[in-house]
Amino acid sequence: MSVPARAERTLKVNGESHVAPEASTRLLSFLRDELSLTGAKFGCGEGSCGACTVLVGGRPVFSCQATVGEVGEEEVTTIEGADSPVARALQEALAAEGASQCGYCSPGMVLRASALLEGKPRPSEAEVREAMSANLCRCGCYKRLTAGILRAAGATATATATATATATNRVAGETPGEGFRPARPFDLTPPEERQWFELLGDGIIATSSPALEAASAGRSGAWIHLSPSGEVTAFCGKVDVGQDNTTAFRLLVAEELSVDPGQVGVVLGDTDLCPYDMGTFASRSMPDAGEALCQVAAGLRHHLEAKAGARLGLPARAVQAREGAVRSDGAVLDYGELATGARVVEVVGPGQRLLAPSRRLPAGPIRPSRREAFSGARRFVSDMRLPGMAIGLVIHPPAPGDKLARIDRAALAGMAGVQLVEEEGFVGLVADDLAAGLAGLRALSPQFETGAPSFSDLEEYLRHHPAEPGGWAGRFEEASGELDEGLAGASFRFEATYTAPFIAHVPLETRAALARFDRGRLTVHVGTQTPFRVRAELAEALGMDEADIRVIVGPTGGAFGGKHGSDVALEAARLSRAAGRAVLVHWTRREEFTSGYLRPAAVIDVRAGLGSDGALASFELVDTNAGAAGLSFPYRAAARRLRFQPSTSPLPQGSYRALAATANHFARESAIDELAAIAGKDPASYRLALLEDRRLAELLELALERFGWQEKSSEERGLGVALGLEKGGRVVTCVEVRSDREGFRVARVLTAYDCGRLVNRDAVANQVEGATMMALGGALFEEICLRQGRQQTTRLSEYRLPRFEDLPALEVELLDRPEEPAAGAGETPMVAVAPAVANALFDASGLRLRSLPLLPAYRREVG
């Protein structure tokens, strides 16, 4: 008697049936590793971020938590299979609103919003926020996400967007990529020896000269190719990690060449093809790379005018390049015609004649197509898969300061598909799949010794562990006037200490890198802000020539200053070299918290003296540990001293969006408010009377007018203002809070920003909105917790970030100054948020808080 074969259990995904793995398998793992459906993202592994959201039977589910067995017979829908009318409407509406920056959270947002609108086709704004609260956008696009969902639902009266022009993204699939590898990286090769035309075909190349590149502190250069078809491709060493450099650079090049932006493609962050750049940080993309691109584009335009003039037998003054052609009274020569049959390299020096402001493109709004972010088509490093690729895992200490003491190597004997790699203090595993790698790590049973310093008070520790200056932490001091005399003779003297904790970057995509060797040359795909630095560090660590290393930066799920250096790239490269195949390393959320670095903690002392009329007789600010960023002083004072003293930090610390400027502005702008109260002055008018910077004073007046500034009008409602001048940008933030004994909430925020010339108004507004939301996190609740000096925060569920529920009424006012150079928008809009909130809270409650984050401090004071 034959026994009938047992039917295989299946799992239905996007309308197709698949043989189901073991019931205990996490759904996220099955979707990504077995079915290659990468729209569901790894973000935290504990259901705290929503990046992994899928639909199970139409319900939103965290696939990192659900098991295959729990799904049972219900159908799973991922973003790749979300083809309902509601899902399509959401994708279009969210893209139209520009409701993304890095885009890592976008697929999960679409699916959760789809479930909402299927059940409630016309939700209110409050219902949207409540339903979406489980999903996190670290870039802070909550205002636009809310508007996009309401737009898709037909609630156009609440949605905030207007019709905008869309810049076609010609880069995708049409510009050079990894398919071509030059014999040597272009930045390491003289212009006349670069393989321009093997890569790009015939045409005209304009490239920055060494003198032009040296004019930038970051040595930013630019290369531009004009093809016989009239298409333009610009190369720049910066990267785009959500701030939309790509669109801004496209617009700058299109403007200087007088062509439609749709004709311009942009290649960023490829160390084989792009000019050297120090890195994408400190809001230097527009001042450095933007200026280089303008200069090179202008040089190309001049070359085309000269070439056309020679061909027509006309002097240069008789022709003009505009609308994609060089024109005279009687002839028109298209750019493509001038490039046909040409193989010309024009080296462009500094000092090119740029277009007059009257001939520039409008400042927007122009939005790039972002539909690929909402459809799941955008692939991040952590989504990449190559044939024969292995998974790499590295043994990291459980907390900063811990050291690996021992591992059980014998336990790996007989384990198939796992290879141990040890070199130079590095210990990692190469595994055929993630499950085998995790089993191997458990078998190794790593044990650690604690080496972190023990202390109970962070402020005292930083004060008593001064460090020698070096790098970004170099000692800084600026002084004018007789400070001590001013303090001694003041009618009122003021002293206070302000503090800020360590906080984490928490990009939704944790560090990831894919490395592979091919005939002695290494290629690494990695999300980093410093690709050329990564190349140099890899070369030194691996004993290789830089010319044999290529670093490519594609879409990256957030960075915020946290993805500098070669850490994960070097791990992937070591493992790939040892294994002889491609290896992907993707950090866990715990590793991101404990093996990355943090924004420095701050201890800031302020001393000030007021004359009898309330004027500043003296002002001193001393920052311990955080840094010198933001130490500028825009107010009139008879004497002042600004100083930074580095400390030996107990935790790894480094670059963070706006770095120390946030803490330094918190201290200074809180102190100015306290001084206004001592002088009996309205804090807004007090600032206006003291400001020395004309642009900042004009911006403050604009902000106060648009905000409707008034002196205190009711109990439990407070208004606060703060301002800043940083990295060439000027910002004023006005805040309204509502408070009671249970706590307080930020009800309204207006950010007025002057970044000089506006290149793309919509992108700047998007950055300001996101920066404001991110800054609210640091102001209200973000904090790395310590116990006896040991880091306790290791999970996203332990680290409070801004969510939909925290979104205030958010307004942005942009002041365009076409005659001024463009400054970045990603950092400066953050710096005045925390002090404006603290000042508003004082107005509402009379309680002055001098330590961040403010919400727990408030609860301690009133509880």
Side-chain angles (χ1 to χ4, degrees):
M1 178 178 175
S2 62
V3 178
R6 184 176 178 180
E8 288 185 316
R9 193 165 53 84
T10 60
L11 185 68
K12 195 170 184 179
V13 180
N14 296 335
E16 297 183 4
S17 294
H18 302 272
V19 176
E22 299 218 358
S24 61
T25 302
R26 295 288 180 187
L27 180 57
L28 179 62
S29 176
F30 178 65
L31 294 173
R32 290 180 62 86
D33 300 335
E34 300 298 324
L35 302 186
S36 297
L37 296 172
T38 57
K41 309 296 186 189
F42 171 82
C44 64
E46 55 175 332
S48 292
C49 73
C52 67
T53 300
V54 299
L55 301 180
V56 176
R59 306 182 317 277
V61 168
F62 296 130
S63 61
C64 73
Q65 296 297 289
T67 64
V68 170
E70 291 169 344
V71 171
E73 302 296 320
E74 295 188 281
E75 181 170 0
V76 176
T77 302
T78 72
I79 194 66
E80 292 86 348
D83 195 35
S84 69
V86 167
R88 291 196 300 271
L90 276 164
Q91 290 167 345
E92 294 296 337
L94 291 167
E97 291 286 346
S100 72
Q101 289 184 22
C102 78
Y104 196 77
C105 71
S106 300
M109 292 286 182
V110 171
L111 292 174
R112 186 169 294 277
S114 295
L116 166 65
L117 297 189
E118 292 286 1
K120 187 180 286 292
R122 293 292 185 270
S124 67
E125 184 170 332
E127 288 171 329
V128 168
R129 294 191 193 184
E130 181 180 2
M132 299 298 296
S133 62
N135 282 50
L136 175 68
C137 176
R138 183 52 165 156
C139 299
C141 294
Y142 297 117
K143 177 180 177 179
R144 292 173 182 237
L145 285 162
T146 302
I149 295 167
L150 291 170
R151 172 187 273 212
T156 53
T158 311
T160 58
T162 56
T164 62
T166 299
T168 303
N169 186 351
R170 191 177 65 76
V171 179
E174 296 183 33
T175 51
E178 196 184 356
F180 174 84
R181 183 157 196 180
R184 286 179 60 84
F186 283 2
D187 73 303
L188 301 178
T189 306
E192 66 275 8
E193 297 178 16
R194 294 172 189 162
Q195 295 168 279
W196 301 112
F197 304 108
E198 288 86 339
L199 169 68
L200 299 162
D202 288 355
I204 301 172
I205 289 284
T207 179
S208 51
S209 69
L212 175 54
E213 294 170 12
S216 162
R219 277 184 55 202
S220 291
W223 307 326
I224 299 175
H225 174 256
L226 172 65
S227 76
S229 67
E231 291 188 337
V232 177
T233 306
F235 294 78
C236 172
K238 296 292 183 189
V239 301
D240 193 333
V241 290
Q243 73 277 52
D244 201 15
N245 277 339
T246 307
T247 301
F249 292 157
R250 176 183 292 115
L251 293 175
L252 289 173
V253 171
E255 180 177 270
E256 282 299 328
L257 284 175
S258 190
V259 298
D260 186 275
Q263 292 178 242
V264 181
V266 178
V267 179
L268 302 177
D270 183 331
T271 61
D272 262 16
L273 306 181
C274 296
Y276 175 87
D277 187 271
M278 187 178 294
T280 306
F281 49 76
S283 288
R284 295 302 304 174
S285 291
M286 293 302 291
D288 291 345
E291 178 63 19
L293 283 163
C294 286
Q295 291 284 321
V296 173
L300 176 55
R301 176 167 47 82
H302 300 155
H303 172 83
L304 292 170
E305 289 173 335
K307 186 171 184 175
R311 185 175 295 186
L312 296 171
L314 295 172
R317 66 178 180 276
V319 299
Q320 185 181 71
R322 54 187 172 85
E323 298 176 1
V326 181
R327 304 168 188 270
S328 70
D329 289 340
V332 176
L333 289 176
D334 291 337
Y335 287 173
E337 183 179 350
L338 293 169
T340 298
R343 289 201 165 195
V344 175
V345 177
E346 180 77 7
V347 179
V348 178
Q352 299 295 312
R353 187 181 72 257
L354 303 184
L355 283 182
S358 60
R359 291 187 60 193
R360 290 174 177 171
L361 294 171
I366 296 176
R367 290 173 179 162
S369 173
R370 287 189 172 96
R371 200 178 189 286
E372 80 283 358
F374 297 102
S375 69
R378 182 177 294 180
R379 294 298 181 96
F380 299 82
V381 174
S382 54
D383 297 329
M384 295 182 70
R385 302 292 184 269
L386 294 176
M389 184 189 82
I391 300 298
L393 298 98
V394 177
I395 296 180
H396 290 118
D402 290 356
K403 305 292 183 184
L404 181 63
R406 61 190 65 85
I407 56 173
D408 185 2
R409 298 173 179 82
L412 291 183
M415 290 188 69
V418 179
Q419 175 186 349
L420 179 65
V421 178
E422 296 183 83
E423 55 179 72
E424 303 175 27
F426 169 85
V427 182
L429 291 176
V430 177
D432 291 341
D433 55 55
L434 181 59
L438 292 173
L441 277 185
R442 288 192 295 269
L444 284 174
S445 302
Q447 298 182 33
F448 297 86
E449 296 175 350
T450 299
S454 178
F455 58 88
S456 58
D457 188 294
L458 177 60
E459 178 181 336
E460 289 302 308
Y461 182 90
L462 294 175
R463 288 188 186 280
H464 291 92
H465 289 81
E468 290 300 315
W472 64 269
R475 186 179 287 111
F476 169 90
E477 183 165 350
E478 176 185 295
S480 65
E482 298 297 330
L483 185 78
D484 293 335
E485 288 184 14
L487 286 170
S491 299
F492 302 97
R493 284 185 290 276
F494 170 81
E495 292 189 19
T497 295
Y498 303 85
T499 63
F502 292 105
I503 66 175
H505 306 82
V506 201
L508 270 196
E509 183 189 32
T510 57
R511 284 169 172 79
L514 173 61
R516 67 172 178 176
F517 283 83
D518 182 19
R519 289 170 288 187
R521 300 182 78 181
L522 169 65
T523 299
V524 180
H525 295 264
V526 62
T528 180
Q529 297 168 251
T530 56
F532 289 90
R533 171 184 164 184
V534 170
R535 184 181 71 179
E537 291 179 353
L538 288 173
E540 181 177 5
L542 299 173
M544 296 178 64
D545 189 322
E546 278 196 59
D548 293 327
I549 299 173
R550 183 179 195 174
V551 177
I552 300 175
V553 182
T556 300
F560 317 114
K563 291 180 177 176
H564 293 201
S566 61
D567 41 23
V568 69
L570 180 56
E571 292 171 353
R574 288 188 189 279
L575 294 174
S576 177
R577 183 169 64 177
R581 54 177 170 160
V583 172
L584 173 69
V585 175
H586 188 191
W587 281 15
T588 65
R589 181 56 61 185
R590 182 186 184 107
E591 288 171 322
E592 187 71 36
F593 270 118
T594 59
S595 296
Y597 53 86
L598 306 168
R599 188 189 77 177
V603 177
I604 302 173
D605 297 312
V606 173
R607 292 193 303 160
L610 293 181
S612 58
D613 59 354
L616 273 175
S618 58
F619 188 92
E620 180 186 46
L621 187 151
V622 179
D623 175 305
T624 298
N625 187 65
L631 279 183
S632 61
F633 192 74
Y635 300 107
R636 189 180 302 104
R640 65 189 182 199
R641 181 188 298 152
L642 310 169
R643 187 162 66 88
F644 164 54
Q645 170 58 55
S647 292
T648 301
S649 173
L651 298 181
Q653 59 184 22
S655 182
Y656 184 96
R657 193 176 189 178
L659 199 58
T662 300
N664 286 329
H665 278 77
F666 171 63
R668 187 194 73 215
E669 290 299 298
S670 295
I672 292 294
D673 240 57
E674 297 198 55
L675 293 169
I678 292 171
K681 307 283 188 179
D682 170 69
S685 58
Y686 186 69
R687 285 175 167 83
L688 274 172
L690 291 176
L691 274 174
E692 293 186 311
D693 186 274
R694 175 189 59 82
R695 287 170 59 183
L696 196 47
E698 290 177 4
L699 189 68
L700 176 56
E701 289 174 335
L702 172 67
L704 296 174
E705 176 188 350
R706 300 296 168 83
F707 189 71
W709 181 265
Q710 56 187 293
E711 295 197 33
K712 187 175 179 64
S713 59
S714 65
E715 294 297 326
E716 299 180 347
R717 172 182 180 268
L719 304 182
V721 64
L723 53 81
L725 193 162
E726 176 68 4
K727 296 182 173 70
R730 290 154 175 83
V731 66
V732 176
T733 301
C734 299
V735 167
E736 177 187 339
V737 303
R738 303 295 179 98
S739 69
D740 56 36
R741 292 198 61 82
E742 298 299 319
F744 70 90
R745 65 182 179 88
V746 177
R748 182 185 175 207
V749 179
L750 181 143
T751 300
Y753 190 48
D754 170 0
C755 62
R757 175 193 170 197
L758 282 173
V759 175
N760 184 357
R761 179 179 292 273
D762 185 71
V764 172
N766 198 352
Q767 283 293 295
V768 173
E769 291 165 9
T772 300
M773 288 304 300
M774 190 171 186
L776 279 175
L780 297 177
F781 30 66
E782 289 188 49
E783 180 178 18
I784 292 293
C785 295
L786 303 176
R787 182 179 301 148
Q788 294 300 313
R790 186 173 179 82
Q791 182 173 332
Q792 300 298 302
T793 307
T794 61
R795 299 158 58 96
L796 191 54
S797 59
E798 301 166 342
Y799 192 85
R800 174 84 159 85
L801 289 171
R803 294 181 176 270
F804 276 93
E805 65 204 60
D806 302 305
L807 175 64
L810 188 59
E811 303 160 55
V812 175
E813 291 287 341
L814 299 178
L815 186 57
D816 187 12
R817 296 187 183 272
E819 73 285 357
E820 298 287 348
E827 299 188 76
T828 302
M830 295 185 68
V831 301
V833 174
V837 174
N839 295 339
L841 184 59
F842 174 75
D843 187 47
S845 65
L847 181 62
R848 173 58 65 180
L849 299 178
R850 295 172 176 155
S851 293
L852 300 177
L854 297 169
L855 195 54
Y858 179 83
R859 288 171 177 160
R860 287 194 298 269
E861 290 290 336
V862 301

